[in-house]
Amino acid sequence: MDIGIDRLGFYVPKKYIDLVELANKRNVDPNKFTIGIGQSKQAVPDLYQDAVTMAAESADQVLNDDNRKDIGLVIVGTESSVDESKAAATYLVELLNLPEEVRAFEIKEACYGATAGLQMAYNFVAMNPDKKALVIASDIARYGVNTPGEVTQGAGSVAMLVSENPHILKLNNKSVYMTRNVGDFWRPTFSKTAFARGKYSNEVYVDFFKTLWKKFQDKYDVTADDFSTMLFHIPYTKMGMKALRTLEGNIPDDKYNELSDHYQASIEISRNVGNLYTGSLYLGLISYLINGDVKPNEQISLFSYGSGAVGEIYSAEIQPDYTGFLNIDFIKKELSDRQKISISDYEDIFGKEVKNGDVTVLSDVHDKYYLSEIKENERLYKKLK
Ligand code: HMG
């Protein structure tokens, strides 16, 4: 039975900052941010937005009256949870008008969460072929104003509808994974911003890729020649390139050049959005599907990495008629219609938070789903009519 991603949705906040302006404000050479890190713009979520509202926005794009009733599993992968107990997915069942007969929960393992959800969804559909699963990655990457990680912040959400006979990506059920207890990046429950050992995190990421790629080749008796595209978790666009470069000189030059070209297509959107944490790998997939020279039934590999750390490489096949199941024009418009804000406006938003008793002023809302108020310490969400 063929199982995989049938539809993909992507949500990006309506505001962004320009990273040349950020560099100037921080007295850094702009080339460090745009070339050294490889980022141009960074998404800035509004105060009425969080992992729940952004998840609702991307999921809304993949649902219709026909497939909604077949959903049997809803998983939100996030490390930006709004509650230590209640899962983001439970809010979505009501906001998205999903059937009550679903398993809905949240998965956390840094940027690996959505991949864990996707693999779980694969097994769910294998056991229940008449059902579909909704896997959503939704995060706000926050390191803090004037920190080394600031240039690698971002926000957004990717939704994946997983089903039998998928129209976008067939998962090959070939995968290798590993876990090591490492302190490269973490966010304690008391903190709204992450802590990172930046350079060490880069080293662990590359080491995970090298280890897993060797395991994958040995386990399935394949080489780079069996793939025309390699997708990576993209915390910033230079990062995946550092992993890809480990293949240079070890595989034929024309293959390396092909993989590098395809990598460029996969990072175009991330360069203008930033780190989506657990959605980053899947934003790379969307970017490649929109900007790449995609061939029917192309074989690709996907490297998922979540700090802490868990990594996985798996393979998949792009389906020939995917363009009818990814709303390319909508995504392009979402990206181009955004509003640039000043660095001081971003700093102002960054420093604020919605508190108990606060009610969102409706005229401030520019999205479909929003946090309407916090009442008795409970977060309440609404959909704009
Ligand atoms: P930094 O110390 O500010 O930067 O931190 P740097 O000094 O390492 O410079 C960065 C690059 O810019 C270097 O290139 C410099 O040479 C270059 P590289 O050697 O890396 O190729 N550079 C310049 N280039 C052109 N013109 C110039 C110039 N100056 C310097 N004038 C760091 C950078 C990424 C470490 C920091 O932003 C950070 O800590 N970010 C957060 C951690 C992170 O993103 N780690 C990635 C791996 S871990 C991961 O992916 C998991 C994660 O997504 C979390 C999760 O799983 O949930 C983060």
Side-chain angles (χ1 to χ4, degrees):
M1 186 199 310
D2 289 350
I3 300 171
I5 302 174
D6 190 53
R7 283 167 190 267
L8 276 165
F10 166 56
Y11 172 77
V12 63
K14 301 256 182 304
K15 292 178 179 161
Y16 74 89
I17 51 169
D18 182 302
L19 293 188
V20 171
E21 290 178 16
L22 182 69
N24 290 334
K25 185 85 183 274
R26 302 286 177 254
N27 290 319
V28 171
D29 178 352
N31 286 340
K32 176 175 176 184
F33 287 2
T34 57
I35 301 167
I37 297 288
Q39 292 299 128
S40 300
K41 294 174 183 171
Q42 184 175 103
V44 179
D46 257 303
L47 277 173
Y48 60 82
Q49 299 190 294
D50 59 26
V52 173
T53 66
M54 295 192 303
E57 297 283 353
S58 66
D60 192 277
Q61 295 165 33
V62 304
L63 294 171
N64 57 39
D65 289 343
D66 195 32
N67 61 28
R68 204 180 296 266
K69 63 180 185 334
D70 298 331
I71 307 277
L73 176 68
V74 184
I75 302 176
V76 176
T78 185
E79 54 181 298
S80 320
S81 194
V82 294
D83 197 291
E84 297 291 347
S85 173
K86 187 176 163 67
T90 59
Y91 296 105
L92 299 182
V93 170
E94 184 183 2
L95 283 172
L96 299 168
N97 200 18
L98 295 170
E100 211 172 75
E101 200 186 352
V102 291
R103 292 190 184 123
F105 54 91
E106 196 171 296
I107 289 187
K108 176 184 68 182
E109 177 11 58
C111 299
Y112 175 73
T115 300
L118 188 60
Q119 299 298 0
M120 205 171 265
Y122 180 99
N123 293 332
F124 174 79
V125 174
M127 298 298 289
N128 307 276
D130 56 328
K131 293 280 186 193
K132 299 180 197 304
L134 185 58
V135 179
I136 311 161
S138 186
D139 271 309
I140 301 175
R142 285 169 63 94
Y143 292 87
V145 167
N146 210 357
T147 60
E150 183 179 35
V151 64
T152 64
Q153 295 179 151
S157 168
V158 173
M160 303 178 258
L161 187 71
V162 180
S163 74
E164 192 184 21
N165 301 323
H167 286 97
I168 296 182
L169 197 70
K170 182 180 91 149
L171 304 186
N172 292 341
N173 198 16
K174 289 185 177 169
S175 122
V176 293
Y177 39 83
M178 63 186 280
T179 298
R180 276 185 204 151
N181 179 19
V182 288
D184 62 332
F185 166 106
W186 63 100
R187 184 170 71 82
T189 43
F190 66 78
S191 179
K192 294 234 171 293
T193 50
F195 294 80
R197 295 192 173 101
K199 293 201 172 54
Y200 177 58
S201 73
N202 292 353
E203 286 165 21
V204 179
Y205 175 113
V206 172
D207 191 43
F208 265 56
F209 172 71
K210 279 165 58 181
T211 307
L212 287 166
W213 177 233
K214 179 161 186 334
K215 278 183 200 288
F216 193 89
Q217 291 178 96
D218 292 347
K219 184 171 176 186
Y220 297 108
D221 194 21
V222 290
T223 67
D225 279 329
D226 293 293
F227 300 97
S228 50
T229 300
M230 286 184 162
L231 299 178
F232 294 82
H233 165 54
I234 316 165
Y236 56 97
T237 69
K238 180 80 154 303
M239 187 69 245
M241 199 63 215
K242 284 175 191 260
L244 186 58
R245 275 196 194 131
T246 62
L247 302 185
E248 197 173 9
N250 295 316
I251 61 173
D253 286 352
D254 53 351
K255 176 51 66 178
Y256 180 74
N257 293 339
E258 180 191 22
L259 293 174
S260 300
D261 284 352
H262 290 198
Y263 179 71
Q264 291 309 320
S266 78
I267 60 175
E268 266 188 46
I269 301 184
S270 292
R271 168 175 272 283
N272 292 301
V273 172
N275 197 352
L276 248 59
Y277 281 161
T278 189
S280 286
L281 169 62
Y282 301 97
L283 183 55
L285 170 64
I286 291 173
S287 184
Y288 180 64
L289 292 174
I290 293 178
N291 302 304
D293 178 19
V294 182
K295 304 278 184 304
N297 302 102
E298 193 175 319
Q299 290 294 322
I300 66 170
S301 72
L302 298 96
F303 170 55
S304 180
Y305 177 80
S307 283
V310 182
E312 179 158 347
I313 290 182
Y314 63 98
S315 69
E317 182 183 307
I318 297 177
Q319 299 304 285
D321 53 352
Y322 75 87
T323 48
F325 296 83
L326 174 68
N327 200 336
I328 295 175
D329 292 340
F330 178 84
I331 291 173
K332 284 185 174 168
K333 193 165 172 350
E334 259 195 309
L335 285 161
S336 65
D337 283 359
R338 293 180 296 164
Q339 176 206 353
K340 187 176 83 167
I341 59 169
S342 68
I343 303 304
S344 42
D345 282 352
Y346 138 73
E347 288 172 351
D348 187 45
I349 294 173
F350 197 95
K352 286 185 182 152
E353 67 174 303
V354 187
K355 296 207 170 60
N356 188 36
D358 287 352
V359 177
T360 300
V361 179
L362 260 183
S363 56
D364 289 344
V365 176
H366 308 290
D367 291 86
K368 215 176 197 177
Y369 298 92
Y370 63 102
L371 172 68
S372 60
E373 63 178 308
I374 303 183
K375 191 176 171 187
E376 295 169 31
N377 289 305
E378 187 184 9
R379 294 174 87 85
L380 301 174
Y381 295 93
K382 280 192 178 151
K383 179 181 177 181
L384 273 188
K385 295 279 174 288

